[in-house]
Amino acid sequence: MTLIPTDLTASRISDAVCDPNREIAASSRVIDLSVGIVVCIPCFRRPQHLRLTLDSLASQRTPRSFAVVMVENDAAGRESAPVAAEFLVTGKLQGVCLVEKQQGNCHAINAAFETAQALFPAATRFLMIDDDEIASPDWLELMVRTAEATGADVVGGPVLPVFDDGSQPWLSRHPAFCPAYDYTGAVPQIYGCGNCLITRAAFDRLGKPAFDLRFNFLGGGDCDFFTRCRNAGMTFHWTAEAVITETVPQNRTSFSWIAKRGLRIGAINYRVQSKAAQSAAARARVFAQMIGRLPLSLVRSARLLKSSKAVIAMHPMMVALGAAFAAFGVEPKPYEASKIVS
């Protein structure tokens, strides 16, 4: 263990945060540079929930030492920074909180992972949790143990919704909220980074920036990253017991929000598939498949309407429409600051 006071490592922190668009907002009094595990947390205008997120990390049942890297992505307001500082300065957690001045989903996540790798050279496993999520007590131990046992390059786990009003529990079955898998084992790919573990070797193989900035305001940089991991021959494992819960506010259960989420999923899918297409012929096939899915989505939605609520039944149609809009350059930008409801 290499424990050193942060006031003696100001130059090291400065070296780790060499991007002029990033600055350190807070750090723990002592940092263990020998930790092998770092948890990354992008933060944006949710200070009250960030406290719950950090409480859940401070209460992890594990003998393993780990650090945290938090990224405040609201350079003007910085509401998350005081909460982060409280946990760091009091020693509840060790690590740093930095400000990423360039706003957007991919900027924040890249800042977290890049700083974590630079500041903690011995770390080989990097986890991520969002600032509206709460980790179950054994989350970190289960994720790391899975990585050790399987040798997987990427480990994923479920993010289960907890609805603020509690009046629509059936929404947990909607594809926008339902985890990709319901079993523990090897999987072909994971799609989201809200509950993931990525090895240093995976980052090294794909280069920087890990999350493509073309997805910065649309979202889906995680889906693109994991698709590239899969195409590079990396392995994935799912740990169903490593549960994270996500607080879903009431405004995200409305018909209009869920419809827009379907459109965004379609746009992300089309963007990822188009990017992966290496030739004009391959891109033409992606476009043709998109056209073909439009009538099929109507059939699927009509069939689902017989056994599901309309908000679930409409999902295939919204996804297909989102892909069609994206093909003609029309995409939502939910991660622009002006579009985000605090």
Side-chain angles (χ1 to χ4, degrees), residues 39 49 52-61 66 127-130 132-141 143 158 194-195 241-246:
V39 180
H49 202 287
L52 300 177
T53 302
L54 298 181
D55 271 331
S56 75
L57 293 178
S59 302
Q60 288 295 292
R61 295 190 293 228
F66 67 94
L127 296 91
M128 187 176 137
I129 184 171
D130 285 327
D132 60 349
E133 297 178 342
I134 297 173
S136 54
D138 298 310
W139 170 69
L140 184 140
E141 179 65 25
M143 294 289 279
N195 181 359
E241 299 80 12
V243 174
I244 279 177
T245 54
E246 175 188 21

Side-chain angles (χ1 to χ4, degrees), residues 34-316:
S34 67
V35 296
I37 305 162
V38 184
V39 180
C40 296
I41 313 157
C43 310
F44 190 83
R45 297 180 183 173
R46 287 190 281 230
Q48 294 181 336
H49 202 287
L50 176 62
R51 187 180 302 278
L52 300 177
T53 302
L54 298 181
D55 271 331
S56 75
L57 293 178
S59 302
Q60 288 295 292
R61 295 190 293 228
T62 180
R64 306 172 193 269
S65 178
F66 67 94
V68 297
V69 171
M70 291 167 272
V71 175
E72 168 64 85
N73 197 216
D74 182 4
R78 304 193 180 196
E79 297 177 0
S80 304
V83 178
E86 174 190 327
F87 279 79
L88 294 172
V89 173
T90 60
K92 293 180 181 179
L93 293 167
Q94 67 159 317
V96 297
C97 173
L98 65 145
V99 176
E100 168 56 69
K101 299 175 185 177
Q102 298 179 97
Q103 197 269 316
N105 177 264
C106 292
H107 278 306
I109 297 173
N110 283 332
F113 282 131
E114 289 173 12
T115 302
Q117 292 174 73
L119 184 58
F120 298 96
T124 57
R125 296 184 173 95
F126 302 89
L127 296 91
M128 187 176 137
I129 184 171
D130 285 327
D131 65 345
D132 60 349
E133 297 178 342
I134 297 173
S136 54
D138 298 310
W139 170 69
L140 184 140
E141 179 65 25
L142 289 168
M143 294 289 279
V144 175
R145 193 184 299 171
T146 296
E148 290 176 341
T150 65
D153 297 291
V154 178
V155 178
V159 177
L160 303 181
V162 176
F163 299 102
D164 260 358
D165 59 7
S167 64
Q168 303 182 82
W170 53 270
L171 266 179
S172 62
R173 301 191 301 275
H174 191 284
F177 302 111
C178 186
Y181 307 100
D182 60 2
Y183 62 88
T184 292
V187 294
Q189 182 183 333
I190 73 168
Y191 301 93
C193 62
N195 181 359
C196 73
L197 177 154
I198 306 169
T199 62
R200 183 183 287 268
F203 284 116
D204 289 344
R205 287 180 65 183
L206 292 192
K208 296 180 181 179
F211 283 54
D212 190 333
L213 295 176
R214 285 174 288 183
F215 294 88
N216 194 44
F217 294 127
L218 168 64
D222 45 6
C223 182
D224 171 69
F225 175 80
F226 294 129
T227 297
R228 287 185 284 129
C229 287
R230 182 198 65 199
N231 292 342
M234 299 187 204
T235 57
F236 297 79
H237 204 91
W238 187 263
T239 304
E241 299 80 12
V243 174
I244 279 177
T245 54
E246 175 188 21
T247 302
V248 181
Q250 192 168 5
N251 68 307
R252 292 191 180 185
T253 61
S254 68
F255 189 93
S256 62
W257 188 93
I258 293 174
K260 290 176 183 176
R261 180 66 176 266
L263 292 173
R264 184 167 74 92
I265 290 171
I268 290 169
N269 290 346
Y270 187 81
R271 175 81 73 88
V272 170
Q273 291 163 8
S274 297
K275 181 186 171 184
Q278 297 297 311
S279 66
R283 290 189 290 274
R285 282 194 296 272
V286 171
F287 185 86
Q289 289 168 354
M290 177 276 297
I291 295 295
R293 290 190 187 102
L294 286 169
L296 289 176
S297 71
L298 296 175
V299 174
R300 290 186 61 196
S301 290
R303 288 175 177 172
L304 283 171
L305 194 57
K306 297 177 182 178
S307 58
S308 304
K309 292 182 179 289
V311 71
I312 293 178
M314 74 176 182
H315 184 70

